[in-house]
Amino acid sequence: MIAFNKSSITEEEIKHVLDSINTNHLHGDGKYTKLVKEWFEERIKSNVLLTTSCTAALEMSAILCDIKPGDEVIVPSYTFVSSINAFVLRGATPVFVEIDPKTMNIDVKKIEEKITNKTKAIIVVDYAGVVPDMDYVNKIAKKHKLFVVEDAAQAVGSYYKNISAGTLADFGCYSFHDTKNYTMGEGGAFITKYDDKFLSAEIIREKGTNRTQFTRGIVDKYNWCSLGSSYLPSDILSALLYGQLNRFDEIMEKRMNIWNYYHENLKELEAKKFFKRQFIPKDCKHNAHMYYIILNDKETKNALEKHFKENGIQANSHYYPLHLSPMGKTYGYKEGDLPLTEDYSLRLLRLPLYADLTQKEIEKVCSTLKEFFYKNN
Ligand SMILES: *Cc1c(COP(=O)(O)O)cnc(C)c1O
């Protein structure tokens, strides 16, 4: 069986996890959380706080956007539930926007027509580690005085115009979930370039207290200051991620080689119009988070998915549009509201991609794909 995803854990990660256990500081903000925070701050040139998940970082963003019941938040329908649920938790109403089928990202040209006097924020998602046109999004947001939140869960190590993904909006969110490029099992990061928002974020992350300032010796006792929750991860998990970061380039290179192999190898099938390969816009440097193809219709996608399974290969479709989910429908959405999202989401198939996928396995995926099309046509 060729798995869809596997995390790449070596002696390097295990060494730091054991060290962390031996430091007798198992809770948050110990040695390893600091090391990881500094590693990212240096690399992406922004303020970073490690969190228990990307979902947690999104919830922190929603609190910082001061979302109140009745506020509207603009978001793509083709995304993971947390992109919007974090805001709905604070009372927001989701306003779903169509995708640009070229990248499966929010169609930035269709954002402005959805803005009303209730709109508070725009959520963009860097799908497959590809950042949408953020210059355009930020211009609209500035004009209408809206917050922008970048759900960069999949985009650690990606760039837009040579600027790190996650730093392109007011607030950015990373995920270190098992299914992402770099993992701590469950985890994430909150990112902001604004120092004042960063101080508020530290408080939100520590149950609404200024304990982080207390630890740094800025205040002599800590107190309840604002809304908040427990959003800081155990230092053991940070140690795991620290090990992964010491292998950052190695993991990236392995993933990129697989991505490039797929892209090169499947060129001939695209030329024969069997499907479209993933597209990377010229402003974006991606991180090989995902390799997907878009089939010509959903029947072919389903048949191919089955063909892969019969050949011991796990290939997966992705998001079911949120506007057609049971929760989405409670806001009055129905089939036909976002035709491109509805159509393309059923035609997309992701191929296995993880650092330790072997050359033999990648070749098997490609030959199984070729066999499917050449036998049926
Ligand atoms: C994985 C993912 C999340 C959730 O990440 P967690 O760390 O599991 O909370 C959110 N948004 C997107 C786009 C994701 O891919």
Side-chain angles (χ1 to χ4, degrees):
M1 187 79 194
I2 300 179
F4 178 72
N5 178 60
K6 273 185 197 168
S7 39
S8 174
I9 305 297
T10 64
E11 284 302 317
E12 175 62 22
E13 287 82 357
I14 294 166
K15 178 176 86 189
H16 294 297
V17 168
L18 290 178
D19 178 55
S20 139
I21 291 168
N22 289 329
T23 59
N24 199 28
H25 181 118
L26 308 186
H27 60 282
D29 283 342
K31 164 180 164 187
Y32 283 103
T33 312
K34 277 195 203 88
L35 283 170
V36 170
K37 170 187 161 70
E38 284 163 12
W39 190 96
F40 272 108
E41 288 185 338
E42 167 71 25
R43 187 176 183 103
I44 71 173
K45 312 281 178 241
S46 203
N47 297 306
V48 175
L49 285 172
L50 233 62
T51 59
T52 46
S53 64
C54 178
T55 302
L58 287 159
E59 287 180 20
M60 289 170 62
S61 305
I63 295 172
L64 284 163
C65 290
D66 195 26
I67 299 292
K68 295 272 190 306
D71 289 345
E72 291 176 359
V73 170
I74 289 174
V75 67
S77 169
Y78 185 74
T79 183
F80 188 65
V81 56
S82 295
S83 311
I84 187 63
N85 191 58
F87 294 80
V88 171
L89 266 174
R90 310 239 66 81
T93 303
V95 174
F96 294 112
V97 176
E98 189 64 287
I99 47 158
D100 174 354
K102 265 215 199 98
T103 56
M104 303 299 285
N105 273 333
I106 193 166
D107 186 341
V108 298
K109 297 270 152 58
K110 291 180 183 159
I111 292 175
E112 198 164 20
E113 65 199 46
K114 301 277 184 168
I115 294 173
T116 70
N117 57 10
K118 290 183 183 159
T119 309
K120 197 74 162 278
I122 303 167
I123 318 300
V124 296
V125 180
D126 302 336
Y127 185 68
V130 170
V131 184
D133 187 352
M134 290 307 286
D135 284 350
Y136 190 89
V137 175
N138 286 327
K139 208 167 69 192
I140 295 171
K142 196 167 177 201
K143 182 171 150 196
H144 296 275
K145 298 193 168 59
L146 305 175
F147 286 104
V148 181
V149 178
E150 183 186 4
D151 179 346
Q154 302 174 13
V156 177
S158 291
Y159 294 87
Y160 166 81
K161 298 185 177 173
N162 293 321
I163 302 168
S164 284
T167 69
L168 292 148
D170 295 303
F171 311 122
C173 307
Y174 284 162
S175 175
F176 304 114
H177 185 267
D178 214 11
T179 51
K180 305 302 198 279
N181 291 25
Y182 305 97
T183 188
M184 55 197 279
E186 298 272 1
F190 168 87
I191 300 150
T192 185
K193 56 195 167 213
Y194 304 119
D195 293 339
D196 58 331
K197 299 290 183 193
F198 184 68
L199 288 178
S200 306
E202 281 185 333
I203 291 169
I204 293 166
R205 177 173 169 269
E206 263 285 16
K207 300 97 180 162
T209 76
N210 55 349
R211 184 173 172 168
T212 308
Q213 288 164 22
F214 168 74
T215 314
R216 274 201 255 113
I218 295 169
V219 290
D220 56 14
K221 59 179 176 2
Y222 71 88
N223 216 331
W224 185 19
C225 302
S226 78
L227 273 187
S229 190
S230 184
Y231 290 130
L232 66 167
S234 159
D235 217 52
I236 305 177
L237 294 179
S238 301
L240 178 61
L241 181 58
Y242 185 67
Q244 292 262 287
L245 296 181
N246 286 341
R247 299 174 55 225
F248 191 89
D249 293 339
E250 176 210 325
I251 291 172
M252 179 72 89
E253 192 184 318
K254 283 180 169 167
R255 296 186 75 106
M256 201 56 83
N257 286 341
I258 298 163
W259 197 99
N260 288 332
Y261 186 89
Y262 279 144
H263 206 58
E264 193 53 38
N265 204 267
L266 303 180
K267 210 184 211 163
E268 78 177 65
L269 291 174
E270 186 183 58
K272 292 193 162 75
K273 304 218 176 334
F274 290 136
F275 54 75
K276 278 209 165 69
R277 293 176 304 161
Q278 191 171 342
F279 168 79
I280 309 293
K282 70 168 185 0
D283 284 338
C284 186
K285 189 164 160 254
H286 73 101
N287 62 349
H289 173 63
M290 181 192 301
Y291 195 86
Y292 68 77
I293 55 174
I294 308 264
L295 287 309
N296 292 340
D297 51 63
K298 66 170 189 278
E299 290 76 18
T300 311
K301 196 278 289 176
N302 292 339
L304 176 60
E305 198 173 345
K306 194 161 153 266
H307 178 74
F308 271 133
K309 202 179 243 163
E310 286 163 359
N311 284 278
I313 296 166
Q314 205 187 341
N316 290 343
S317 49
H318 213 179
Y319 304 125
Y320 185 77
L322 290 176
H323 73 283
L324 298 182
S325 66
M327 187 68 179
K329 282 180 175 165
T330 65
Y331 296 99
Y333 286 93
K334 55 184 187 319
E335 238 169 88
D337 284 346
L338 301 170
L340 292 171
T341 301
E342 293 166 28
D343 179 27
Y344 277 78
S345 60
L346 298 177
R347 287 163 49 194
L348 180 143
L349 193 67
R350 295 174 294 159
L351 305 182
L353 204 174
Y354 51 89
D356 298 331
L357 197 64
T358 65
Q359 183 61 25
K360 232 176 107 188
E361 288 171 324
I362 311 160
E363 284 167 13
K364 168 102 192 285
V365 173
C366 290
S367 62
T368 306
L369 192 50
K370 283 179 187 163
E371 176 196 288
F372 175 83
F373 284 104
Y374 290 140
K375 217 166 59 191
N376 291 334
N377 290 281

